[in-house]
Amino acid sequence: ENREDMLSSKSNRLTEALEEANKLFSGVSRAREAALDAQFLVIASNLGKEKANELRSEMTAFDSLAFAEDLLTFMGINRTEENDSDAESTTGGYLPSNAWHKLGEETEKYFRRAPSFHYMLGSFKSDPPVPRQRIERQKKSAGGEGKRAMPAQLKKMEESHQEATEKEVERILGLLQTHFKNDPDTPISFFDLVIDPNSFARTVENIFHVSFIIRDGFARLKLDGDKLPIIEPSKDNERRVGNHSAGARNQVVLSLSHREWK
């Protein structure tokens, strides 16, 4: 009782000191007043800590030895029979064989457990994953000759194709000039010149090659009395004049289907 009276008196004095400090330091405006306010706060905190440590909460503390004793009693320890084993001699008795099972059945009531998993169609044996084959990348050559080989080959093919076109254009132009040299008064029908009766693809190629001859001014197209195109080679003076007035030449698109070719 004397101790409680002392704690109560200390609590009252601390409360009075806090109230008095609130009045004194209600309006702090100087550095010295702020220092005194902070110093008082430290002292009051220490006193409150000492007061809290002296209080008793009257709560029952956990006694591990008492808990172990109660647990052994629940599991059915037998202290009357003696045993020579070291582990059992330390407990002062022995436990029955189902002691831990008994404890597990009792504690099972207080723990939530997830339901066990069962296969609806029975278990199955899963095969391990098949390892993926690793694709090794080809190492880059130091000189890069492999990369340059393909563009060079393509370039060579393009040059050969261009050379073949130029030779074919020159061949057709030579045939055209030879015909007019032998018979200058008989014009050649454009379709008689380009159409191959046995090949539609060859006919299209001939039209393609003749277009270069007309574009460069080596030949020209006219319409005869039946409004059908005729072709004749250009003279040297006409070709020179035509080169200066290239804008006067007209271009047309010719449509030729496989049915019309037949």
Side-chain angles (χ1 to χ4, degrees), residues 115-147:
S116 59
F117 182 78
H118 297 282
Y119 292 100
M120 297 180 62
L121 300 177
S123 62
F124 65 94
K125 183 179 179 181
S126 59
D127 297 330
V130 180
R132 297 178 59 183
Q133 295 182 356
R134 187 175 182 180
I135 302 175
E136 296 182 358
R137 297 181 178 178
Q138 297 180 354
K139 296 182 180 179
K140 298 180 179 179
S141 58
E145 297 177 357
K147 289 185 176 180

Side-chain angles (χ1 to χ4, degrees), residues 231-247:
I231 185 170
E232 60 181 10
S234 301
K235 298 179 181 180
D236 293 339
N237 56 353
E238 293 177 352
R239 187 163 59 251
R240 285 195 297 269
V241 174
N243 291 335
H244 293 289
S245 60

Side-chain angles (χ1 to χ4, degrees), residues 1 28 39 47 50 52-54 66 113 137 175 183 193 203 213 223-224 226 258:
E1 292 179 357
V28 177
Q39 184 179 3
L47 292 176
E50 292 178 1
N53 292 333
E54 292 177 355
R113 294 192 309 165
R137 297 181 178 178
L175 294 175
D183 191 2
L193 176 66
T203 301
I213 299 175
L223 296 178
D224 59 5
D226 298 328
H258 190 269

